Structures are given as structure tokens and as C-alpha cells.
Amino acid sequence: KAGVTQTPRYLIKTRGQQVTLSCSPISGHRSVSWYQQTPGQGLQFLFEYFSETQRNKGNFPGRFSGRQFSNSRSEMNVSTLELGDSALYLCASSFVGVPETQYFGPGTRLLVL
Amino acid sequence: AQSVTQLDSQVPVFEEAPVELRCNYSSSVSVYLFWYVQYPNQGLQLLLKYLSGSTLVESINGFEAEFNKSQTSFHLRKPSVHISDTAEYFCAVSPAVRGNTGKLIFGQGTTLQVKP
């Protein structure tokens, strides 16, 4: 069974631009969560989607948004990029969410210049 | 609100020696507990988790962790480490409350460095 895939793996943007990251969950998984990983703040929860609905949200500004499609694939969007948005963005999938085991993708590394 | 503290940012250890990675948490509600491992340039992989029942949980690769409710701890141990165990280890909690789904709260991570 294929694992969680994330595209692109690396991305360079400039301040003020917007970016869209994609996550394809393991086949059959309906829950997709997104996390931001930085050296200073560590791993922080962004949001979770299940059956195209956002069920849970972390403490991030409205510039961070996401959506989920009917095939469970998910995208997250960051508008008006700031230098501090440089991070590794990880998505994780599971059948129905925590406390089930979450399977993480390799991440998208975003660099904002 | 919940928080997780991993008491050591780096733990150097020689191969075949035992190791303990410490994790304490704070929460006003019951939580589920997890240990994840991250190898360089990879995502996180679940090592083990505690949901309920026996307080000692084991992984398939020799790690174990014990849930101690009175000390709010979930320390990870391995009796004999290998070079291949070199990685970053994250302790995480999730509130065991209705409506909380898909959210893990992570500690800052502990880098385990196994030396030959």
C-alpha cells in the first residue's frame, strides 16, 4: 500500500506570495491532519479534515487555510507569506483520526525569502 | 490546555547501552500518549502508544514506555540501542475528549545519538 505522499517536496517563495501544498493520504484514509515543524516552535498542529469538513483547528492566523476533496486528498494554502512561515509542513492520515495511528508523509520544506 | 516537556534535547549513548528518553505532560483531562520517531529527511513514524489498559506498552523494535499517571510521565526506554536507532524522538499527547480528532500536541523532541 502506498504511503502518504506530499508535493512538492521543496519550495522557495518570496514574502507576500501565496503557496499551495498537496497531500495524498493512504488509500481508504479519510482523516488528514497538517502540522508545521520549525526549529524554534517544534511541531504544531494546523488543522484536521475528515470527509471534506474541517473538524479541528490549531492556533494559526487566517492566512493558513486548507481543504479536502471527495477523494480525501487535501491541500493547504498560505497567503501573504512571511519569513516566519519557512518550515517543514507535514501531513498525516488515518482512517478516522486520533487516537488511531497517524501515518505521516515526508513533508514539504518551504523556504520564504 | 495540554503541554508536553521532553527533558533532554540530546542524549548521547554508546551502542548496546540502555537508554531512557524522558517525557512529562500536563493536562486537565485524560490523554492518549504517543512516541514518534523521525529519521533525517523523513516524516514521523509511530513507535508506540498508550490508550488505556496496561501501563507498559512495547514496540516491535525493542522500545517500551510506561505510563505513570501520578507523575504524568511517559518515558521511553530501550535496554540495548543500535546505531540504527539514531534519530529524533517525539513524545505527543492527545486529549481524550469528544470532538478532539486528528490533533497531536508534541514535545520539542530528543535527539538520540548512538555512538559505536
Side-chain angles (χ1 to χ4, degrees):
Chain A
K1 201 181 238 187
V4 178
T5 57
Q6 293 187 244
T7 56
R9 291 293 309 277
Y10 303 93
L11 208 47
I12 300 176
K13 292 286 188 180
T14 56
R15 277 182 301 172
Q17 287 186 310
Q18 75 166 15
V19 67
T20 299
L21 313 181
S22 179
C23 172
S24 293
I26 291 172
S27 178
H29 286 189
R30 296 166 65 189
S31 168
V32 174
S33 297
W34 287 90
Y35 293 84
Q36 181 196 64
Q37 185 177 22
T38 60
Q41 299 298 316
L43 279 152
Q44 293 184 287
F45 173 76
L46 281 155
F47 29 65
E48 186 242 359
Y49 286 86
F50 181 84
S51 291
E52 303 179 63
T53 301
Q54 186 182 90
R55 288 198 300 191
N56 212 341
K57 190 177 188 306
N59 295 325
F60 277 81
R63 299 185 298 107
F64 292 81
S65 63
R67 59 177 175 169
Q68 187 180 34
F69 302 94
S70 58
N71 61 358
S72 294
R73 189 177 71 83
S74 177
E75 289 181 346
M76 68 163 281
N77 184 276
V78 188
S79 63
T80 319
L81 283 166
E82 302 177 359
L83 296 179
D85 297 333
S86 294
L88 180 67
Y89 290 88
L90 295 163
C91 81
S93 78
S94 64
F95 281 109
V96 295
V98 178
E100 265 204 329
T101 299
Q102 296 203 318
Y103 294 86
F104 283 78
T108 293
R109 188 165 295 280
L110 172 65
L111 177 61
V112 182
L113 301 175
Chain B
Q2 292 74 37
S3 65
V4 178
T5 302
Q6 292 184 240
L7 296 159
D8 306 294
S9 58
Q10 295 189 29
V11 173
V13 64
F14 286 105
E15 194 173 17
E16 297 183 7
V19 70
E20 178 180 77
L21 307 184
R22 296 179 293 168
C23 172
N24 286 92
Y25 69 91
S26 171
S27 177
S28 58
V29 300
S30 295
V31 293
Y32 304 119
L33 296 143
F34 306 82
W35 275 99
Y36 278 85
V37 59
Q38 186 176 34
Y39 298 100
N41 299 316
Q42 294 186 28
L44 281 73
Q45 301 173 29
L46 179 70
L47 258 184
L48 43 75
K49 62 182 177 182
Y50 172 79
L51 304 184
S52 64
S54 173
T55 57
L56 183 66
V57 290
E58 299 177 350
S59 73
I60 58 173
N61 54 358
F63 284 95
E64 65 178 31
E66 187 159 20
F67 169 53
N68 188 318
K69 188 174 182 179
S70 62
Q71 296 187 6
T72 59
S73 68
F74 191 53
H75 301 331
L76 182 69
R77 302 184 184 96
K78 189 170 185 180
S80 176
V81 295
H82 304 287
I83 295 287
S84 59
D85 293 324
T86 295
E88 190 155 19
Y89 292 79
F90 292 93
C91 180
V93 302
S94 182
V97 296
R98 188 178 179 83
N100 176 67
T101 55
K103 180 177 181 177
L104 292 170
I105 299 142
F106 287 91
Q108 286 293 95
T110 297
T111 301
L112 175 61
Q113 302 164 321
V114 181
K115 304 176 181 180

